[in-house]
Amino acid sequence: MNLSNKKPFIAGNWKLNKKIPDAVFLATQIKKAVRKERDAEIVIMPPFTALSDVKKVLSHTSILLGAQDTFWEESGAYTGEISPSMIKDTGCDFVIVGHSERRRYFGDTDEKVNKKIKAALSAGLFPIMCIGETLEERENNETMSKVKKQLREGLKGIDKDLFSKVILAYEPIWAIGTGRTASPEQAEDVHGFIREQLTKMVGKDTSSCVIMLYGGSVKPKNTFSLIKEKNINGALVGGASLEASSFVEIINEAKKAYKEKQK
Ligand code: PEP
């Protein structure tokens, strides 16, 4: 599969929500609204337990499937863990790595994130790597240094040719699940900085192809102004992806924003 940032990329992270019947219901509702979407890439990310059933709902649609985390080992004595190829086996193409909730509650360090990204790429998954600062770090003017560190350490040792397969999600921690969104200017400032850092790491040709998402209380009403920004290629949506109506509205707003910026 070839990804491109010529159209908006909208991913719904369902987090720890939806048992199998509810997940199938939500996926069916989304499918009714966006069966074959050409002008946006749409990914839904249910919990592990619902992946296989949701995959069946998505057959014959353009909606893609992702998981919310992975372990880095392929197999072995690691009770409770799930490997990238097991995720691939359920029909997923994407996996979130380094979400701030994993970093905060489950000890995901930059080093572990790096191992997960490498393992995901080896299994043929597209990792969605999350980075972002806390409120305290923003107030102390540490946003860029934090993001730079997460970026450099998370992507350490990854072949230049694989960079365009990594999707980046800038998610200021203070905006996740809080109803507080970064302003389009604040988000673009960081996205522009990330693009510059990527250019330093792998050159302009590669960095300009990387898909960069904003995440943090994305709702239908703020999607257009965020995605209209030059370096914002889409959104990683938590809460608002749990209702088909708001998720579909976000997709439509993102398409409008892309049309506007391509004018
Ligand atoms: C997220 O889950 O990555 C997220 C950004 O959540 P929310 O949209 O609810 O802030």
Side-chain angles (χ1 to χ4, degrees), residues 149-169:
K149 180 177 179 287
Q150 289 180 320
L151 196 63
R152 295 235 162 214
E153 294 186 9
L155 298 177
K156 200 166 165 177
I158 288 166
D159 204 90
K160 184 180 160 178
D161 296 343
L162 293 174
F163 262 62
S164 57
K165 295 193 186 301
V166 179
I167 294 149
L168 292 171

Side-chain angles (χ1 to χ4, degrees), residues 13 15 99 101 171 175-178 215-219 236-240:
N13 172 17
K15 309 195 187 192
H99 191 283
E101 288 152 13
E171 300 208 302
I176 299 178
T178 59
S217 298
V218 172
K219 308 284 177 220
L236 179 53
V237 186

Side-chain angles (χ1 to χ4, degrees), residues 106-123:
F106 304 100
D108 280 17
T109 57
D110 288 329
E111 197 186 341
K112 289 183 185 175
V113 168
N114 181 250
K115 286 188 185 178
K116 290 182 179 192
I117 301 263
K118 287 176 174 161
L121 287 167
S122 300

